[in-house]
Amino acid sequence: MHRRAFRTKLHAGHIPMLLPGHSCVLKVHNAISYGTKNNDELVERNFTLAVEECHVQNTAREYIKAYTTAAQSVEAFGEIPEIIPIYLVHRPSNDIPYATLEEELIGDFVKYSVKDGKEINLMRRDSEAGQKCCAFQHWVYHKTEGNLLVTDMQGVGMRLTDVGIATCKKGYRGFKGNCATSFIDQFKALHQCNKYCEILGLKSLQPKAKKPASAPKPKPQTSAAPKKKSFGPTVKGKS
Ligand SMILES: [Zn+2]
């Protein structure tokens, strides 16, 4: 598959986020022509690829909206990543008529996750946006009982685009992703929970380390002294 992206400007239109004069990105998806394919087939393929792109991103947007609702109920969570909308456009006069259009994200474009749920970003490891993206992956994985994973989380700051979705082989609730099912297995094997997973009450996907059999079990305490809970600052020693 070929995909080309162009920086462009909307001349007229009423999409709130794509105002005339604003920079946007037009992505053209077309299958490689091998001579035997006639033009109708190529246009059909071009249409299918563009629609699939929109379908994946819109599905991911639905999941991140639900994640937003969950995260907003926890005060400590703070800002929540957003997946920007993309639009299907038809350009009848063009040989490759179907394309997608989205707002151009200005700034440092960072890949927050590739396959494994860990932020792959050496310069800004463990950034807030990256950790929140990985927590989102875990949240979706949990909500869909391991049948769906939003992957390829990437963008500028908290604004993401061009994400992918992996589903189990049969698909999940009638939706089939555009990434290999193996992404889900890889996520399950490698994801390390971060503080945002914990805030959302997600449980680690990694098997708990087994204690060596020889380790003595702590004896139940016989004294009736209740455990102390300290609410004030603890003062150690006297100065
Ligand atoms: Zn996690």
Side-chain angles (χ1 to χ4, degrees):
M1 179 186 122
H2 266 260
R3 197 178 74 174
R4 290 179 293 165
F6 303 90
R7 177 174 287 120
T8 185
K9 275 189 168 53
L10 198 70
H11 291 295
H14 301 284
I15 302 166
M17 277 183 228
L18 295 174
L19 295 167
H22 277 222
S23 291
C24 30
V25 179
L26 185 78
K27 286 176 185 163
V28 180
H29 317 65
N30 66 306
I32 302 162
S33 163
Y34 285 115
T36 51
K37 277 188 180 162
N38 64 37
N39 200 47
D40 285 352
E41 274 178 273
L42 286 174
V43 169
E44 203 181 304
R45 190 79 189 114
N46 162 237
F47 174 72
T48 309
L49 290 169
V51 168
E52 184 185 71
E53 190 94 353
C54 291
H55 199 179
V56 165
Q57 186 118 339
N58 285 329
T59 301
R61 273 168 58 75
E62 288 304 310
Y63 282 106
I64 213 160
K65 277 182 206 164
Y67 176 69
T68 301
T69 307
Q72 274 171 344
S73 67
V74 189
E75 210 178 307
F77 201 90
E79 200 186 343
I80 302 155
E82 171 203 2
I83 296 171
I84 65 166
I86 63 172
Y87 302 93
L88 181 69
V89 289
H90 182 225
R91 308 162 304 154
S93 60
N94 202 297
D95 286 346
I96 311 163
Y98 294 96
T100 61
L101 188 70
E102 66 196 88
E103 176 192 352
E104 184 185 11
L105 297 178
I106 312 282
D108 260 355
F109 199 89
V110 178
K111 261 185 186 289
Y112 293 118
S113 74
V114 179
K115 293 178 188 177
D116 61 5
K118 255 188 130 176
E119 187 180 0
I120 300 199
N121 166 22
L122 295 174
M123 298 295 288
R124 281 181 289 167
R125 195 180 283 280
D126 296 334
S127 68
E128 185 185 339
Q131 289 188 61
K132 285 175 174 176
C133 286
C134 294
F136 168 60
Q137 291 186 297
H138 187 172
W139 187 85
V140 172
Y141 177 91
H142 175 74
K143 283 283 164 196
T144 62
E145 293 162 331
N147 287 302
L148 186 145
L149 180 76
V150 180
T151 182
D152 284 346
M153 309 285 297
Q154 52 193 314
V156 176
M158 294 278 177
R159 310 202 64 212
L160 313 170
T161 189
D162 218 3
V163 300
I165 293 182
T167 49
C168 61
K169 286 200 181 78
K170 284 187 234 162
Y172 180 69
R173 295 189 176 173
F175 176 80
K176 267 197 169 185
N178 61 342
C179 297
T181 300
S182 61
F183 281 37
I184 298 179
D185 304 325
Q186 201 162 345
F187 178 81
K188 190 185 174 192
L190 295 173
H191 172 71
Q192 301 282 341
C193 280
N194 59 51
K195 64 176 175 184
Y196 298 104
C197 296
E198 282 162 28
I199 288 175
L200 295 169
L202 295 166
K203 298 215 168 70
S204 172
L205 300 174
Q206 307 314 321
K208 278 179 187 151
K210 278 181 189 165
K211 283 176 188 168
S214 60
K217 276 188 180 175
K219 282 180 187 167
Q221 286 198 346
T222 46
S223 79
K227 277 183 185 171
K228 278 181 191 170
K229 259 189 179 177
S230 152
F231 294 100
T234 312
V235 181
K236 278 184 185 170
K238 283 180 183 177
S239 55

